[in-house]
Amino acid sequence: MHCKQWIFDMDGTLTDSMTVVWEGAPDALLRRYGRTPRGDLRATLLNMGMQEGAQYLIREYGLPLTEESYFSVMREVIAELYETVELKPGVRTMLAKLQAEGARMCICSNTWAEQCRTVLTRLGIAQYFSFIVEAQGVLHKSHPEVFFECMSRLGGADPAACAVCEDAVYAAATAHKAGYYVIGIADRTSAADEPEMRRICSQFVPRWDMLDWTRV
């Protein structure tokens, strides 16, 4: 196994939360304030970080919230939805194998670290990850700096020997352009991007128990 550092997204990659949480939470929040979500809302928010999404919803839907109060309300909504989230098939076995092989792993997520830790602890896999990086602001996944930071903290220096695992095409594309070994995982919310994911990823798998270990 040539990849000794592994950078995992959480939502849609390790957990089934893209549909449960990230499609459901904005709708739930808007309805709290009597707003009706537009049909393109989910597609619009998909490629935004948390802060950018907050600014968009406050502005476009005239929410009576500051960014600070928005996040307070949104965290309540999200925390409730995350209680129903489960792991994607094959995750536990994959992480155990990586640990046995001496790989170092971290989480790099648009979701805030505290919430990631809560979810991963409830699901019994938090112990596999050395740290959690919030991909926000200048560390947004549309820029490679966040992946370089993660790799460095994991003790790596060669992107080609560092696996980046993603379900979102924009993040996978960033890692691909920066020279990482990119593993794409299928998710219902990003099904339309599968042809592009297959083109740019070193591997693209429908589920984690179909990973080709001879290629990593």
Side-chain angles (χ1 to χ4, degrees), residues 60-210:
E60 295 297 320
Y61 287 88
L63 296 176
L65 298 169
T66 62
E67 280 190 44
E68 183 179 357
S69 60
Y70 167 91
F71 282 114
S72 177
V73 175
M74 180 57 92
R75 288 187 185 210
E76 292 177 10
V77 172
I78 287 172
E80 293 174 3
L81 294 173
Y82 264 122
E83 288 299 314
T84 67
V85 163
E86 297 297 336
L87 292 175
K88 286 193 157 186
V91 168
R92 294 184 196 280
T93 301
M94 172 190 62
L95 295 177
K97 181 173 175 60
L98 286 173
Q99 185 179 65
E101 293 282 347
R104 294 199 68 206
M105 297 170 269
C106 74
I107 296 291
C108 179
S109 175
N110 291 345
T111 302
W112 58 94
E114 180 184 356
Q115 182 64 69
C116 288
R117 195 170 291 109
T118 297
V119 173
L120 298 174
T121 299
R122 177 178 67 81
L123 295 172
I125 61 169
Q127 72 275 12
Y128 290 109
F129 305 103
S130 299
F131 55 85
I132 299 171
V133 168
E134 295 181 9
Q136 301 292 337
V138 295
L139 291 180
H140 191 268
K141 292 183 188 180
S142 57
H143 307 291
E145 285 78 9
V146 68
F147 297 121
F148 285 120
E149 175 170 323
C150 289
M151 177 179 65
S152 177
R153 288 179 63 182
L154 289 171
D158 179 11
C162 178
V164 173
C165 304
E166 280 283 349
D167 67 301
V169 67
Y170 80 98
T174 300
H176 169 72
K177 289 174 185 175
Y180 289 86
Y181 187 91
V182 183
I183 301 174
I185 179 75
D187 191 76
R188 188 182 68 78
T189 59
S190 54
D193 297 322
E194 183 171 331
E196 180 64 7
M197 288 288 279
R198 288 186 177 277
R199 187 185 73 80
I200 65 176
C201 292
S202 306
Q203 284 196 58
F204 181 84
V205 293
R207 41 191 287 155
W208 284 113
D209 51 14
M210 297 179 70

Side-chain angles (χ1 to χ4, degrees), residues 5-17:
Q5 298 86 41
W6 288 66
I7 302 169
F8 286 96
D9 173 53
M10 185 179 78
D11 299 294
T13 298
L14 296 175
T15 62
D16 64 3
S17 44

